Amino acid sequence: MTSLAIDPFEDWNPHAKQIEVMESTARNVVMNCGRRGGKTNVGARKFFDNILADIESGKGLPYKPPKNRKKIKKPKARLEYWCVAPDYNMSEIQQEELSLVIPEDMIEDWNASGNFIWLKGYVLIRFKSADNPKKLVGRGLDGVWLDEASKMKPETWSGYLAYALADKGGWTIWTTTPEGINWFAEDIVLKGQFIDAGLEEDRYENDPEWRNFYWTSIDNPIPELQKNIKRMIETYPERYVKREIYAKFNVFHGQVYEEFDRNVHLVDIEPIDLEKRLFQVTYPDGTVREVMFKRYIGGLDHGWNDPAVLLVIGCTDEDYYIIEESYASQVNVLVVDNSGNLEDCLVKRYKELHEKYPMNEIWADPSEPEDIATYRRYKLPVISADNAIGPGIRHVGSLYKVKEDTKRPNLYISRSLRNTIKETENYRYKDNKDGGSKEEPEDKDNHTQDSKRYALYNDYHRQRKAREREERLRKGKGGLHI
């Protein structure tokens, strides 16, 4: 808190988590919270408290004010701050919260239609929409409050706001409920200290300039609110409760593979004898088994700006283990030197994987037949896949499903494959205008997912046909002995 005589918080009754936020002196304060947990409420107060601290410290001085500010449409402010929301409708919430905090005698001009506030002393607060990040261009900023940041595009921060703050060493306030393991989780939350919100503890950077705060809806003690939250927990689907109430990153509304669970499907895989295809697998419950794969298959998705992906999958009689991933952007399919030797390219990378894990087939996106021909010319067993999206997703989902009889799924992922894991959790269906989900996946977070589907769906049909053929042969041979 500042030591200014103004106390805009005297009628505010914060809960314990909100008090911790107000006491923080970190330059970047990140709040990941459940719905109705009071994050926007405290975000407005922390934002304004930081402004008061800047004013008290004399930041922006010396300052030469314009002779007649009212005649100048856009005078240069002594201090300038932005409140950014996913769209202007949501920015109205920020304005409402700030209207409860900023004392009237500090306000020189509040223009709601113009989306700005002038405070006395030439301090400017602007309200901005992040729906088009390219419009977030301006002079240096002293501070920014991003509300519902998880809903914004990554370039909102990395392409614009981060640079606008750099000149003045500006501070940030972040308030949001998670929307899966997206850029906000990986580029912002992981900068700070560990919070038990569904991200891996060893990935946090512990940067002292970033301070993470995490709380659930249950931490807001308002009695009437708690009644509503209890009702939601009892009646809503579990994955909705985990995200909206408990603010977990690793669940997602509209998730394609909602059967996927890190605590069920992630395993540690270590080779014992590669020639024999023998591996040691440690399962989430601590069980350790030796698994010998009968064969390997691959799934291949082409790409340039989007990543090109090759997944290597080990197969037993019934189970599949995704054990390796090649995930690269802007790498050429084929590059050879003047002597005809392979330089770094996808062909070389994939051949190295094929040497380590000799794949029977590599099922590929059929949209690039020339690339498929190139891979085959270099002795890679690449085959054009049946790109059946709906049936393919259903089949992969059935492999993730925990079976009643065995209490196990038929598909596992190596814990080391971060791109595959992240995209599996973030791969979701498109939203309808009414807020529901279409039976059509979004065209993002799908590169490993397409590769996985090509391999597993097409292998299923090939193995089924092989079994049918064997059955016909068996019956035919049996007929000869009659």
Side-chain angles (χ1 to χ4, degrees), residues 258-327:
E258 61 181 50
E259 302 86 359
F260 177 78
D261 185 336
R262 286 181 180 232
N263 295 320
V264 173
H265 298 98
L266 298 191
V267 295
D268 294 301
I269 303 178
E270 297 292 338
I272 296 174
D273 189 330
L274 284 176
E275 288 189 6
K276 296 180 178 179
R277 300 189 294 271
L278 181 64
F279 290 76
Q280 177 178 284
V281 180
T282 304
Y283 297 87
D285 63 0
T287 302
V288 180
R289 292 173 53 201
E290 288 188 359
V291 176
M292 182 176 290
F293 297 124
K294 291 194 170 183
R295 55 199 171 86
Y296 299 114
I297 60 173
L300 192 156
D301 190 39
H302 310 290
W304 175 250
N305 288 325
D306 287 334
V309 176
L310 173 62
L311 297 183
V312 179
I313 303 173
C315 313
T316 66
D317 285 328
E318 295 182 345
D319 297 336
Y320 295 90
Y321 295 76
I322 305 177
I323 56 179
E324 284 275 10
E325 66 179 16
S326 172
Y327 192 94

Side-chain angles (χ1 to χ4, degrees), residues 1 42 44 51 57 79 81 98 118 151 165 195 209 240 251 270 292 307 311 314 321 327 338 395 407-408 412 430 480:
M1 295 283 186
V42 70
I51 293 175
S57 69
L79 301 170
Y81 306 91
L98 283 174
W118 277 100
K151 295 182 182 297
L165 290 161
I195 53 175
E209 290 201 335
Y240 186 89
V251 288
E270 297 292 338
M292 182 176 290
L311 297 183
Y321 295 76
Y327 192 94
N338 294 332
H395 178 66
K407 308 300 180 186
R408 300 173 62 247
Y412 297 94
K430 292 180 179 179
L480 294 174

Side-chain angles (χ1 to χ4, degrees), residues 151 179-180 239 243 252-257 393 423-432 435-446 449:
K151 295 182 182 297
E179 292 280 334
R239 62 192 176 95
R243 188 188 68 160
F252 209 93
H253 180 63
Q255 187 175 351
V256 172
Y257 296 119
I393 286 174
E423 290 191 356
T424 301
E425 291 178 325
N426 285 351
Y427 191 38
R428 62 172 300 180
Y429 290 113
K430 292 180 179 179
D431 290 335
N432 290 319
S437 294
K438 296 180 180 179
E439 289 298 314
E440 180 183 353
E442 293 182 344
D443 187 21
K444 63 179 182 179
D445 295 314
N446 59 350
Q449 303 312 293

